[in-house]
Structure formats: structure tokens, C-alpha cells
Amino acid sequence: MTPGSNESVNNEPQTAAEKFDDEHYPAYTMGRAAELLGTTANFLRSLDEAKLIEPQRSAGGHRRYSRHQLRLASRVRTLVDQGTGLDAACRIVTLEDQLQEAQALNAKLTPPPASDDPYPPLQSV
């Protein structure tokens, strides 16, 4: 499933059970998200303004947040609580995620290390 849609990868509507498992499904209202994070709705709005989190909107125009977005907001909130400015905290979280993605890609593309034996056994032809 892609963020921002209510359909699965094969374009079929999600069942209720699939929505519970989808970390990108926008299940939380702004009030509930703020309550879960122990912060204010204004803090969540500021993350939207900083372009770190762009919540989906309900039919009535209300912001809706996914679990993935709440995890990002929580990481930023921790940095802000430690005295980091909001813009810097958003940048740090973004860079940490990019580093993690690059490390995962590097690990996937790096061949396994060669054996310690400089002369591997010959194979019969």
C-alpha cells in the first residue's frame, strides 16, 4: 500500500483488518494524535508547516495521521524537548531516516566478504 491511499498494492480496497496492520493508514485525528504524543495540536500543525509530516485530510478537511507519521512526530518531539529547534529537529530526523535507508541499500548491494582462505579449493571440471 502506498501512503495516501486506501487501496492495497493490487488496487483492491483494504479490509478493516488490513487497515489496522497498515502503518500508513490515517487512523488518528489531530486531537487523538496530540493526546497520544503528549503534545498540542499546534505542535502537529507546525510539523505540517515544516513539511516533515503532511497528514491526509478527511472529507470534512480535518487532518488525519498514520502511525508512521506519529512515530516521526514523536522523534521530533524528543529532540525539541532536549532543546533542539523545531527546524533542526525535523532536519535531523529526515537525515537519520535517509542514512538508515542508505545503509540498508548498501548492505543489500555489498557482496559478502571473501573467505579468509586466499586459495580456495579447486573444483573439479
Side-chain angles (χ1 to χ4, degrees):
M1 165 151 181
T2 58
S5 74
N6 291 333
E7 296 181 353
S8 62
V9 174
N10 56 6
N11 292 329
E12 295 176 12
Q14 285 185 296
T15 64
E18 290 171 331
K19 290 176 185 177
F20 284 120
D21 293 336
D22 183 2
E23 71 174 19
H24 294 286
Y25 181 73
Y28 301 96
T29 62
M30 179 180 280
R32 182 67 178 137
E35 180 182 327
L36 287 170
L37 294 172
T39 188
T40 64
N42 194 38
F43 175 76
L44 293 172
R45 282 188 208 98
S46 67
L47 297 180
D48 189 6
E49 291 170 10
K51 301 290 187 223
L52 177 71
I53 295 175
E54 294 183 33
Q56 289 188 27
R57 300 286 182 144
S58 68
H62 300 283
R63 290 175 173 90
R64 305 283 297 188
Y65 296 89
S66 68
R67 288 183 302 173
H68 174 75
Q69 291 172 324
L70 294 184
R71 278 194 292 276
L72 287 174
S74 176
R75 290 168 55 198
V76 170
R77 185 69 208 187
T78 299
L79 290 169
V80 169
D81 287 346
Q82 294 171 355
T84 306
L86 180 67
D87 289 338
C90 290
R91 185 70 178 140
I92 289 168
V93 168
T94 299
L95 290 171
E96 286 175 343
D97 286 351
Q98 289 174 350
L99 177 61
Q100 184 178 9
E101 289 173 12
Q103 289 173 330
L105 180 61
N106 191 32
K108 180 181 175 184
L109 298 176
T110 302
S115 67
D116 292 336
D117 186 3
Y119 304 104
L122 296 174
Q123 296 183 4
S124 60
V125 180

